[in-house]
Amino acid sequence: MTTTGSLSRGCFVFKGKKKKADAADYFADDDDSHASLRCDLYQDHWEQVNADIQILQSSMNSKIFEDLLQFIKTAHANFSLGDANHSSSRMNEIPTAGLITGVNTPDHSVMFTNLLDLLMDQVTPHLAVLKSKDCANTKQIMTKITGQLMGKTDLLDIGSDNEDGGNVNVKKISCTMPVLSAWYNHLNKRKRSHSPKKRKSTDGKVLGMPDHPPVVIVLEDLESFNPHVLQDFISTCSNYLDQLPLVLVFGIATAVTAVHRLLPHQVSSLLCLEKFHGPPSTKYLTQVVKEVVMTPKYPFKLGSKVFQLLLDIFLYHDFSVMNYVGSLQFCIMDHFHGRHLSSLCCSVEDLIKHTKKLTGEKVEKIRQTPSFMRYVECQPPAEQIRLLEDDNHLKKLLPTFMHNLETYHSYFFPVLECLNILTAGLPKHPLGKQTRELYHMCLQSQIVDREEYKEAMGLLRAMSRDELLDLVQQCTEKLLQVVDLPEELQEAVEKMLELASKFDNIEELANMANPEEDDAEPEPLTALPKKKMSMKDLQQKLQEIKQKKKKLTVYEAVRNEAIDYFELLFRQYLRCYKQFPLHEAVYYDAANEVKKHMNASPRAAIHTALSNPYFYLQNDVLKQDTSSVTPDLPDICIVYKLHLECGRLINLYDWLQAFIMIVTATEEKASSRKPDKTLQARFIRAVSELQFLGFIKPTKRKTDHVARLTWGGY
């Protein structure tokens, strides 16, 4: 065999055409046109919802940010470079804003991002943001501040802090307060020499930033900072207040007492602290639910199970509105992605166009919808045949079904607000205090048939005139605030105004009543039968006579008229959505899907992955009985299944031998099973991974043993 040295080999790459992934591909099914349609509906719907949420968030934070910006602007109003009396007048106190953000930590980043944007636009360009994970010592704090303020990280001294004398990378600028002071002094001198004329508004006020913009340092998570590092940093800052107009902003998740818990009195006395409370996350959630979920503006609606699940995740897990919004986005996406009927979830005008493109297969899926089947059962026989056999007839009815749902929502939510106004202040709150609690009851079943509703109506009939008059006026104002109020509800407003007028003029109505009727004598008790009666029959007969004798006062008559009218209103407009055909097109109630994706159980997922790796890896080699242990399994799966057979304490040597026996079972010299270094390393790595996952831990009770932390099966 000869070899040729001149032979050369090459690898040539030919670039193929890139196929850009389209979002509609993820919605694809057997009908590509409808997949694209559902994708477009999802994107349009989410863009509108997200825009409203952003506007709502800005309005919620506007008040607290206005006060905070005003505090920072005026914190160093009299500051001037070279003023030796400035620090003494402030008594070395650093202006500090304690922004109480609440425990909903996922929302903090959004809040601070908005705050920094406002500070940069209206107050100062000198901003630095510190996080506890990046500030283990004072040098790291100064490095972060100097780098963010000066914007020249390549010129900073960021040498190593190793005590053993590591390689020190010496740069031109050291990260110290004197350097910052000199930089600020130089910056303001250059600014004064090149400053243009200041703009003035129409009222004569000077616009723009102050002559000496403050240096704002934001500590996002104050409670997580090292107390000793924080103390040294604050003490250092207090010594340079005559050279730097420093302002600190503390992000506090719990309460202001956290400042006194972290700082001793001699350090906390250096702060001129002022509290600013951010809006509570529960209040923010209530606004999101009212403005986004409980509104006729969007066709998409949450079903009863999903609505309650998202609230439970918020109230019992994270208190994060951002996570709630993310879950809401998932619900919208999953609704349009996994349900062919969601192509009907649009405006009636667009729906008329979409129905013309429906194929026979799509129409048949509509007929299989449970709500539509119930609707068909209630129709006459001739209409049933047309609905089940004539596709064109069904297509003509689809816009009518969706229009009925749209009309239902336009009446439902304003009337729901009226019911909440009437019942929110009742004793024991039978229908809840928040509108979202009442809404969940309406989603579950017919609200007027519930015992809680009947109890609430009974309590309303025992109210005084002033209380009931105030509630009627509130209901009237709420309906008048609704944009595009339906005509029927406008008539309801006129009726409420009439009832309020009657409550105001009770005395005049009482004087106009017939006095002869008031002086009428009650019927004698001779109406009782003379034959012997049981105690129960006698009691019932006496109650009937009492009702006949009792004459309602003018106020009681007006009160009953008002409550009767409201009950009629609630019975007419607060029907459960499940009564409408094809409500599945707009209502999403797949609670199991949401729970699986947004509120997963990590313990069950880890157990599934270790006992049945095929579930996640989808490798045919791993497709086997979950109770068997084969060498084809990953090492950690083998070690995990072996540890399930052990007691509280596991002998590492026996565990290793069992592992080697399984791994070498298919080898020719399996009988020797020598624990070579490779097998030992694989075993040790698998055991370490189990320890990291929390299944075992080292123990001193026995040598060469580990303790099992889990017990029992799933």
Side-chain angles (χ1 to χ4, degrees):
M1 182 177 180
T2 60
T3 59
T4 304
S6 62
L7 182 64
S8 61
R9 297 179 181 179
C11 179
F12 303 94
V13 179
F14 295 91
K15 294 184 178 180
K17 294 182 179 180
K18 283 188 176 181
K19 184 180 179 182
K20 188 177 180 181
D22 190 7
D25 296 339
Y26 297 97
F27 289 74
D29 58 357
D30 53 349
D31 190 343
D32 292 335
S33 62
H34 277 275
S36 177
L37 170 64
R38 288 186 282 113
C39 180
D40 293 340
L41 288 175
Y42 157 69
Q43 290 177 340
D44 294 342
H45 198 102
W46 172 244
E47 286 176 1
Q48 297 177 24
V49 170
N50 191 39
D52 284 354
I53 292 175
Q54 296 298 330
I55 295 173
L56 183 62
Q57 182 182 13
S58 300
S59 62
M60 287 288 292
N61 293 330
S62 60
K63 175 59 180 173
I64 180 68
F65 284 167
E66 287 177 5
D67 298 339
L68 183 57
L69 293 179
Q70 185 63 27
F71 170 77
I72 296 175
K73 282 181 181 179
T74 59
H76 291 279
N78 300 323
F79 179 84
S80 62
L81 291 173
D83 187 1
N85 297 325
H86 177 72
S87 61
S88 60
S89 63
R90 298 286 299 180
M91 299 178 63
N92 289 337
E93 291 182 352
I94 308 172
T96 306
L99 180 58
I100 302 176
T101 56
V103 297
N104 49 329
T105 51
D107 300 346
H108 291 175
S109 59
V110 179
M111 179 181 294
F112 280 107
T113 300
N114 295 337
L115 175 61
L116 294 176
D117 292 340
L118 291 174
L119 286 172
M120 186 71 71
D121 293 339
Q122 303 180 23
V123 181
T124 176
H126 311 315
L127 295 174
V129 182
L130 302 179
K131 297 182 179 180
S132 58
K133 63 180 181 180
D134 302 326
C135 303
N137 51 53
T138 308
K139 183 172 183 179
Q140 290 184 358
I141 290 181
M142 294 306 304
T143 302
K144 286 289 181 182
I145 294 175
T146 308
Q148 294 182 47
L149 291 177
M150 300 178 64
K152 298 179 179 180
T153 55
D154 56 330
L155 300 178
L156 302 180
D157 180 8
I158 51 175
S160 174
D161 290 334
N162 296 336
E163 296 179 359
D164 55 354
N167 295 327
V168 179
N169 186 15
V170 180
K171 298 295 180 180
K172 297 181 180 180
I173 301 175
S174 59
C175 304
T176 59
M177 277 293 180
V179 171
L180 280 180
S181 176
W183 163 80
Y184 186 82
N185 193 358
H186 172 73
L187 195 67
N188 279 272
K189 286 182 179 179
R190 187 176 62 179
K191 177 181 175 183
R192 286 196 299 270
S193 61
H194 298 86
S195 60
K197 294 182 179 180
K198 296 181 179 179
R199 296 184 297 112
K200 292 187 177 182
S201 61
T202 55
D203 55 357
K205 294 183 179 179
V206 178
L207 299 177
M209 297 183 181
D211 294 335
H212 301 285
V215 178
V216 181
I217 302 174
V218 181
L219 287 75
E220 285 195 8
D221 48 347
L222 179 73
E223 291 95 334
S224 300
F225 275 82
N226 187 319
H228 298 289
V229 175
L230 193 61
Q231 294 169 23
D232 295 341
F233 171 68
I234 293 175
S235 300
T236 304
C237 290
S238 66
N239 296 326
Y240 287 88
L241 285 178
D242 58 336
Q243 304 173 37
L244 281 173
L246 293 170
V247 178
L248 302 180
V249 178
F250 290 163
I252 304 173
T254 54
V256 183
T257 54
V259 177
H260 303 287
R261 186 176 66 251
L262 293 171
L263 305 175
H265 175 69
Q266 61 268 26
V267 178
S268 62
S269 61
L270 300 176
L271 302 176
C272 179
L273 184 63
E274 186 166 340
K275 295 184 295 183
F276 297 89
H277 287 271
S281 57
T282 52
K283 182 179 179 181
Y284 185 16
L285 175 76
T286 301
Q287 293 299 320
V288 170
V289 172
K290 279 188 176 182
E291 302 294 334
V292 177
V293 180
M294 296 170 45
T295 175
K297 183 178 180 180
Y298 309 109
F300 175 83
K301 296 290 180 292
L302 295 178
S304 59
K305 295 179 182 178
V306 174
F307 182 80
Q308 186 60 39
L309 176 62
L310 296 188
L311 286 179
D312 289 343
I313 294 176
F314 173 85
L315 295 173
Y316 301 114
H317 286 81
D318 52 20
F319 268 91
S320 171
V321 180
M322 293 298 102
N323 288 351
Y324 181 89
V325 172
S327 301
L328 179 62
Q329 182 183 7
F330 172 81
C331 294
I332 299 174
M333 179 185 65
D334 191 53
H335 178 69
F336 287 99
H337 174 267
R339 287 156 183 78
H340 298 282
L341 203 63
S342 61
S343 59
L344 306 179
C345 185
C346 57
S347 63
V348 178
E349 294 78 9
D350 295 335
L351 181 60
I352 297 175
K353 303 176 184 178
H354 301 336
T355 51
K356 297 178 181 179
K357 302 178 182 179
L358 287 176
T359 61
E361 183 181 355
K362 299 294 182 183
V363 175
E364 190 60 34
K365 289 183 178 180
I366 293 175
R367 290 193 178 103
Q368 297 173 4
T369 307
S371 62
F372 182 78
M373 295 173 66
R374 290 193 297 267
Y375 172 77
V376 172
E377 292 174 356
C378 299
Q379 301 304 311
E383 181 66 15
Q384 290 183 5
I385 295 174
R386 295 187 66 189
L387 290 171
L388 296 176
E389 296 182 357
D390 190 350
D391 291 352
N392 293 327
H393 177 65
L394 179 56
K395 288 181 182 180
K396 292 179 181 178
L397 290 178
L398 289 179
T400 304
F401 292 149
M402 295 299 105
H403 178 70
N404 292 339
L405 275 170
E406 184 178 330
T407 306
Y408 159 71
H409 291 144
S410 64
Y411 290 104
F412 177 86
F413 292 107
V415 176
L416 181 71
E417 292 284 351
C418 293
L419 179 56
N420 178 251
I421 290 173
L422 293 175
T423 60
L426 294 177
K428 298 183 180 179
H429 311 289
L431 293 179
K433 296 177 64 177
Q434 301 287 344
T435 314
R436 61 174 184 260
E437 302 174 62
L438 180 59
Y439 180 54
H440 179 245
M441 294 182 183
C442 294
L443 290 175
Q444 286 181 312
S445 61
Q446 198 79 356
I447 187 66
V448 295
D449 297 334
R450 298 177 69 102
E451 292 297 327
E452 298 91 338
Y453 172 82
K454 297 176 182 177
E455 180 184 353
M457 292 299 106
L459 292 173
L460 283 176
R461 293 183 185 274
M463 273 191 162
S464 65
R465 185 188 69 171
D466 294 338
E467 292 174 330
L468 201 54
L469 173 61
D470 182 55
L471 294 178
V472 172
Q473 291 175 344
Q474 290 183 38
C475 292
T476 307
E477 293 173 0
K478 178 60 69 174
L479 291 180
L480 290 175
Q481 294 173 2
V482 177
V483 181
D484 298 331
L485 189 68
E487 184 177 352
E488 289 81 356
L489 292 186
Q490 292 178 3
E491 296 176 358
V493 170
E494 296 177 0
K495 179 63 177 178
M496 292 179 189
L497 292 173
E498 179 186 343
L499 292 172
S501 176
K502 287 184 178 181
F503 280 118
D504 277 334
N505 302 317
I506 286 291
E507 292 80 3
E508 296 180 8
L509 294 175
N511 295 332
M512 293 171 59
N514 190 357
E516 296 180 358
E517 295 181 1
D518 296 339
D519 299 335
E521 297 181 358
E523 297 181 4
L525 294 179
T526 54
L528 285 175
K530 296 183 178 180
K531 65 179 182 178
K532 192 172 182 180
M533 300 177 63
S534 64
M535 184 64 68
K536 183 177 180 181
D537 294 337
L538 179 61
Q539 183 180 8
Q540 184 177 359
K541 188 66 177 178
L542 289 173
Q543 289 177 351
E544 293 176 358
I545 295 174
K546 183 178 180 181
Q547 291 177 358
K548 291 180 180 179
K549 289 179 3 181
K550 184 178 179 181
K551 179 176 178 57
L552 296 177
T553 63
V554 176
Y555 165 67
E556 290 174 341
V558 176
R559 181 183 63 191
N560 289 345
E561 180 186 357
I563 302 302
D564 290 341
Y565 177 75
F566 276 111
E567 286 202 70
L568 179 63
L569 203 66
F570 300 148
R571 186 172 295 274
Q572 182 178 0
Y573 296 117
L574 294 185
R575 292 182 292 167
C576 183
Y577 73 92
K578 298 177 183 178
Q579 299 178 1
F580 291 85
L582 297 183
H583 66 264
E584 295 90 345
V586 298
Y587 279 87
Y588 175 80
D589 206 20
N592 291 333
E593 287 294 324
V594 179
K595 191 172 183 179
K596 182 171 66 175
H597 288 84
M598 310 308 298
N599 192 25
S601 301
R603 182 181 176 186
I606 292 173
H607 171 75
T608 302
L610 296 179
S611 59
N612 184 20
Y614 173 78
F615 184 82
Y616 291 102
L617 301 180
Q618 296 296 311
N619 188 346
D620 293 336
V621 178
L622 304 176
K623 196 173 184 179
Q624 54 189 262
D625 186 10
T626 56
S627 60
S628 61
V629 185
T630 63
D632 297 327
L633 295 174
D635 292 344
I636 187 174
C637 297
I638 297 174
V639 171
Y640 174 77
K641 289 189 175 184
L642 291 174
H643 113 285
L644 292 177
E645 302 173 0
C646 302
R648 287 291 187 185
L649 297 178
I650 306 175
N651 189 308
L652 284 173
Y653 183 78
D654 296 341
W655 201 2
L656 172 62
Q657 291 299 322
F659 172 78
I660 295 174
M661 183 183 299
I662 293 173
V663 172
T664 60
T666 58
E667 298 181 4
E668 296 180 358
K669 297 182 180 180
S671 58
S672 60
R673 301 185 187 93
K674 294 181 180 180
D676 58 5
K677 294 182 179 180
T678 303
L679 293 178
Q680 290 183 22
R682 290 170 57 184
F683 173 76
I684 292 173
R685 178 177 180 177
V687 171
S688 300
E689 290 173 348
L690 278 188
Q691 181 179 350
F692 175 76
L693 292 174
F695 288 97
I696 59 173
K697 71 172 183 177
T699 181
K700 296 181 180 179
R701 294 182 60 184
K702 284 188 178 181
T703 308
D704 298 334
H705 280 67
V706 292
R708 182 178 172 186
L709 296 177
T710 59
W711 193 254
Y714 285 77

